Structures are given as structure tokens and as C-alpha cells.
Amino acid sequence: MTQNTREADVTAALLIIGNEILSGRTKDANLPFLAEKLNEVGIRLREARVVPDLEGEIIDAVNALRARYTYVFTTGGIGPTHDDITAECIAKAFGVALERNAEAVARLQAHYKTDQINEARLRMANIPAGGILIDNPVSKAPGFQIGNVFVLAGVPMIMQGMVENLLPRLRGGARMLARTVSCGLPEGTLAEGLEAVQKRFPEIEIGSYPYLRNKEYGVSLVLHGTDEAMLEQATEAVASLVRDLGGEPSVTVGYS
Amino acid sequence: MTQNTREADVTAALLIIGNEILSGRTKDANLPFLAEKLNEVGIRLREARVVPDLEGEIIDAVNALRARYTYVFTTGGIGPTHDDITAECIAKAFGVALERNAEAVARLQAHYKTDQINEARLRMANIPAGGILIDNPVSKAPGFQIGNVFVLAGVPMIMQGMVENLLPRLRGGARMLARTVSCGLPEGTLAEGLEAVQKRFPEIEIGSYPYLRNKEYGVSLVLHGTDEAMLEQATEAVASLVRDLGGEPSVTVGYS
């Protein structure tokens, strides 16, 4: 892509918290979901980090990311067990107290039978001072927002419910639109012409992603931009290049 | 988990380079593969970052990670097109020249027909000075190692072939062993007892991962450690806890 990310862009980072991702046991599914949801409201995911369940690592990453991006989302570590330390770390990152939140307690009390409410479950009502709850439509224990940081569950179904609930709080910019030109030509044949198209359209990002299907190599040329007319022009220029080189371009709105 | 990561651990970080991951278009498959391969030789993946195809971001991330971990692996951005800028960024991160590597040129010449060799494809032979090639068994264009940084392709099949080829270069530590105790009890019921087991076995990391299967909640309790006898003891303590709370523990070697 080009170096054309604008200062005015509304940006986000995702901090994935959990040993289970770094051990390879669990495959993260939250990044692609969040990327697409944010793009729908004109916010670009610009960085992601995966850190273990270690206090220092979490605090350092949260502070680095929240200083740099419009929004930060964290996933994981907000359950009732000893390895769930995210809320505590976020409080420390912001230099505020971790408090038992009355509204969160009420939600847990409404969800669990009286004999199920124990100290471990009540830990899920510990929220950094000043935090605003994020509804959890699945298992009730809420996420929370503090400053520009949104703290979400790691279990994808719960994370997704929380994202739907918090989207109205976000202020987005121009939505990034996508087109894909696929063809059976190899990247190395297209590269020179593609670079020329990229130089003609500096506001459009052009990415080249080779694939192997049925033992045939091909490439998906993905174009991104916020100006639809310019995006269409650049897409036609890429399709034209493919035809000139003897290929058969297949153009898709979005990704293919 | 506990804060028991030892200084003597052999550690690694993964830097995933590519807009296609951050847009949600492409789901990364390299992290879980690398995590498991590294663990087989006693190296722990401790952090991962995803950055866009922007020079400054790549250089900063490489320099931050290589100072901190025993090994750094990068994926993506080593093809022939204009958006493939990884080799150039690595050279800048190390403050060395980017040179056309004669051995890499020879490999490309052996792979491609004479009329297919063009300047774009030859860019794939540009390697930072001092870099050692990593064989690419699939499409020949090599990866490379410089210092403690290993630069790999992003396409999973090619990345995996490169990893198999570079593993003998790595010096590992003690291999991390895993056991999983699964049961139908909710996390909140187990939390207090689980924390007590964690305190009894500070050298063992215990993670708690809830799941929802056939509308029934359950939890996988994953134990990690390098001392097999101690790991077995801790696993039995967790299984015992589950039985004491009226659950039926199912114990697996590795993950379940």
C-alpha cells in the first residue's frame, strides 16, 4: 500500500489478551470480526497485539496503544478466575481504583441464583473507577469503557454481542470501500504495471495477494479508498492492465 | 496464569505484516502454526503484533521486538509487488544495505524461465547485507535470517515450508508440556478452588477457558509446565477439585 494514511483517519487498535492464543491452542476469531464492524462505521483497525496474561505486558500495551489510536479494544481476561486480570490491569494503566460497580453487581444478581453468587463471580463486577458498562447480551457480566479503551470478553459470541452494543458510542470517519480484481496471472508479471497504477492513484491503496487454487497460481488485487469514483477509476486501470497482459480480470465489490 | 515466566526462557515474537490481516480480508493462520512448532523445540511465543504495510510501523515493531525476545519471526511482504516492503524495512531496522543476493538470484533463475525473469521478480533477491537465506520449498524465492530475526512469507503453505527449514537453526529451552481438564461446571463455581491449586503450584500455569457446546456451558482448565511430574500432580489436584464440586473431569494430554 501507499504511505497515505491520513492524520484525520479515525483509527483503532486491538489488544488480544491471553496465553491460549500465544500457545496456539485457541485461534483468534475476534480480529476479523472487529475489523469489519469498525470499517462499517468508518474506523480503521491499524494495529493488533497479542500479549500473555501478565500484568506488566498488559499495562504497557494498553498505554502504548491508547496514546496512539482513536480507540483501543481489548479482548479476554474478564471472567471470574485467577487468570482474569484485565480489569485490574486497565485500572492500573489509567491510574484509577478498581471498584465494585453497583450496576454490574445488580446485573449479576439478576442473572445468577442467590446460591450461585460468590466472591469469584462478583469479581466480574470490579470495574475501574469512571468506567461505563458495556452490555453483555449473552452471559450478563458486562464489559466496560474507560477513556478511549473498550474492554470486551474473549469468547467470540459474547465479544460480538458487546461490539454490537457499543458501536453507537463510536465516532467514525469516511468508510473505506474495497474492490477486488482477481486473475490467473502471476504477481511477478503484474508488478511493474501495478506499481504504475499505484503511482497514478496515490489515494488508493493497492494490495497484491497471491493464491494457489487447483494447482493454479493467481492473484487478488485489492483496492481500498474512501472516494468511490476514484476507486472505480483505479479498479478499471487495474482491470485494464490485466487485460493488456493477456489475463482475464474478474472484478468484485468488496473482497473475493 | 502466574507471573512465573523465567528469565532463562527462550522466547519469541511474531510480527505479522499486512493490510489484508487488519482489514479482516485474510484470517491469519501462521500464529498457531508457529506457536506449536516453536513449542516443539522449547521456545515460547510471548507476543504477536499485526502492523500495516507502512515502513515506519514495520521498522519500529521489528526493533522493539528484536531487543526484547530471543527470536523474532516476521510473515508477509516479501513478494515482487510494490506493497512488498519487508526486506527494505528490515535492512533499515538493522542499519545495513539492501543488496541483491547472488545465491537468491541463482535460485530464481533456476526456477523461472529466462523470459519470466524481470526486475520485479529480481526484487525478491534483495536481502539485507549479512542476511542468511531460508529455503522456500514451494515457490523458491527465499526468506532470510538477520541477527535474531527470521523473515518469512505470508502465504501459509510457503511460510510452513520455511519454518520446517529453519527449525534446526534455533536453540530451544525446556519444552512446555500441557494437560487439559474439561468439565461441565461453570467457571464461577471452580474459581476459588482453582486459585488455591494455582497457589500450591506456582511453577505451573493454569488457564481457565469457558466454552458453550450444545447449549451447555463448560470449561477447559489448561495446565502448562516443563516439569512433567509436577504437571501431573497439579493436573490431579485440578481433577480432584472438579470431583469435589460434583463434576466429572475429563483429562487430556495436550489440549482438548
Side-chain angles (χ1 to χ4, degrees):
Chain A
M1 69 172 268
T2 53
Q3 313 279 324
N4 65 357
T5 302
R6 289 166 297 275
E7 287 304 311
D9 281 347
V10 181
T11 58
L14 170 62
L15 179 61
I16 298 168
I17 299 166
N19 296 343
E20 71 278 21
I21 305 291
L22 290 169
S23 72
R25 175 187 180 270
T26 302
K27 288 167 188 59
D28 169 71
N30 292 326
L31 189 160
F33 177 84
L34 184 68
E36 291 186 17
K37 282 289 164 185
L38 290 179
N39 188 48
E40 285 173 16
V41 295
I43 298 170
R44 290 190 79 178
L45 185 64
R46 279 289 311 278
E47 180 172 347
R49 295 191 190 185
V50 189
V51 296
D53 302 321
L54 291 171
E55 184 178 292
E57 310 275 331
I58 297 169
I59 293 172
D60 288 352
V62 166
N63 281 334
L65 296 173
R66 73 188 177 99
R68 187 141 190 223
Y69 300 101
T70 318
Y71 299 109
V72 176
F73 299 84
T74 77
T75 58
I78 63 167
T81 53
H82 65 279
D83 55 335
D84 291 306
I85 61 172
T86 299
E88 193 179 323
C89 293
I90 300 286
K92 289 185 181 173
F94 278 83
V96 301
L98 186 68
E99 296 176 345
R100 186 139 304 172
N101 182 289
E103 169 61 22
V105 170
R107 291 186 193 185
L108 294 172
Q109 283 170 339
H111 180 62
Y112 290 104
K113 294 174 190 146
T114 310
D115 65 351
Q116 289 177 322
I117 292 280
N118 57 21
E119 180 53 30
R121 289 202 171 93
L122 286 172
R123 277 188 68 220
M124 295 191 287
N126 291 349
I127 308 288
I132 303 163
L133 301 187
I134 298 170
D135 293 349
N136 169 352
V138 178
S139 53
K140 303 308 167 192
F144 61 87
Q145 173 190 357
I146 178 166
N148 61 340
V149 178
F150 294 79
V151 175
L152 311 176
V155 175
M157 195 172 55
I158 303 175
M159 180 272 189
Q160 292 170 16
M162 289 180 170
V163 168
E164 298 292 352
N165 283 333
L166 68 80
L167 281 178
R169 297 188 196 175
L170 306 177
R171 178 188 53 80
R175 188 173 164 189
M176 191 60 72
L177 306 170
R179 298 287 184 277
T180 304
V181 181
S182 295
C183 68
L185 297 175
E187 275 195 303
T189 301
L190 286 157
E192 186 184 345
L194 202 62
E195 184 165 19
V197 177
Q198 177 67 87
K199 284 187 176 150
R200 258 181 71 200
F201 295 95
E203 296 297 314
I204 302 295
E205 298 172 3
I206 307 178
S208 173
Y209 308 115
Y211 61 78
L212 181 59
R213 286 178 201 148
N214 305 321
K215 299 194 176 180
E216 289 289 326
Y217 286 94
V219 64
S220 292
L221 305 166
V222 178
L223 298 93
H224 283 106
T226 54
D227 179 328
E228 188 156 17
M230 191 186 291
L231 182 63
E232 291 291 352
Q233 277 182 43
T235 303
E236 180 43 39
V238 170
S240 228
L241 168 69
V242 170
R243 281 189 293 266
D244 289 350
L245 292 167
E248 291 176 19
S250 155
V251 179
T252 315
V253 172
Y255 305 126
S256 72
Chain B
M1 66 171 269
T2 53
Q3 311 280 324
N4 65 359
T5 300
R6 290 168 295 279
E7 287 303 311
D9 281 348
V10 181
T11 59
L14 170 62
L15 178 62
I16 298 168
I17 299 166
N19 296 345
E20 71 278 21
I21 306 291
L22 290 168
S23 72
R25 176 186 180 270
T26 302
K27 289 167 187 60
D28 170 71
N30 292 326
L31 190 160
F33 177 85
L34 184 67
E36 291 187 14
K37 282 289 163 183
L38 291 179
N39 188 48
E40 285 174 16
V41 296
I43 298 170
R44 291 191 77 179
L45 185 64
R46 278 289 309 279
E47 180 172 347
R49 295 191 190 184
V50 189
V51 296
D53 302 320
L54 290 172
E55 183 178 292
E57 310 276 330
I58 297 170
I59 293 173
D60 288 353
V62 165
N63 281 335
L65 296 172
R66 73 188 178 98
R68 188 144 189 218
Y69 301 102
T70 319
Y71 299 109
V72 176
F73 300 84
T74 76
T75 59
I78 64 166
T81 53
H82 65 278
D83 55 336
D84 290 305
I85 61 172
T86 299
E88 192 179 325
C89 294
I90 299 286
K92 288 184 181 173
F94 278 84
V96 300
L98 186 68
E99 295 176 345
R100 186 139 302 172
N101 182 288
E103 169 61 22
V105 171
R107 291 185 193 187
L108 294 173
Q109 283 171 338
H111 180 61
Y112 289 104
K113 293 173 191 147
T114 310
D115 65 350
Q116 290 178 322
I117 292 280
N118 58 20
E119 181 53 31
R121 290 202 170 92
L122 285 172
R123 277 188 68 220
M124 295 192 286
N126 290 350
I127 307 289
I132 303 162
L133 301 187
I134 297 170
D135 292 349
N136 170 351
V138 179
S139 54
K140 304 309 167 190
F144 61 87
Q145 172 190 356
I146 178 165
N148 61 341
V149 177
F150 295 77
V151 175
L152 310 176
V155 176
M157 195 172 57
I158 304 175
M159 181 272 189
Q160 292 171 15
M162 288 181 171
V163 169
E164 299 292 354
N165 283 333
L166 68 81
L167 281 178
R169 298 189 195 174
L170 306 178
R171 177 188 53 80
R175 187 173 164 189
M176 191 60 71
L177 306 170
R179 298 286 184 277
T180 304
V181 181
S182 294
C183 68
L185 298 174
E187 275 195 303
T189 302
L190 285 156
E192 185 185 344
L194 201 62
E195 185 166 17
V197 176
Q198 177 68 86
K199 284 187 175 151
R200 256 180 73 199
F201 295 96
E203 296 297 313
I204 302 295
E205 296 172 4
I206 307 177
S208 173
Y209 308 115
Y211 61 79
L212 181 60
R213 287 178 201 148
N214 306 322
K215 299 192 177 180
E216 289 289 326
Y217 286 93
V219 65
S220 292
L221 306 166
V222 178
L223 298 93
H224 283 107
T226 54
D227 179 329
E228 187 156 17
M230 191 185 290
L231 182 64
E232 290 292 353
Q233 275 182 42
T235 302
E236 180 43 39
V238 170
S240 219
L241 168 70
V242 170
R243 281 188 294 265
D244 290 350
L245 292 168
E248 291 177 19
S250 154
V251 179
T252 314
V253 173
Y255 305 125
S256 73

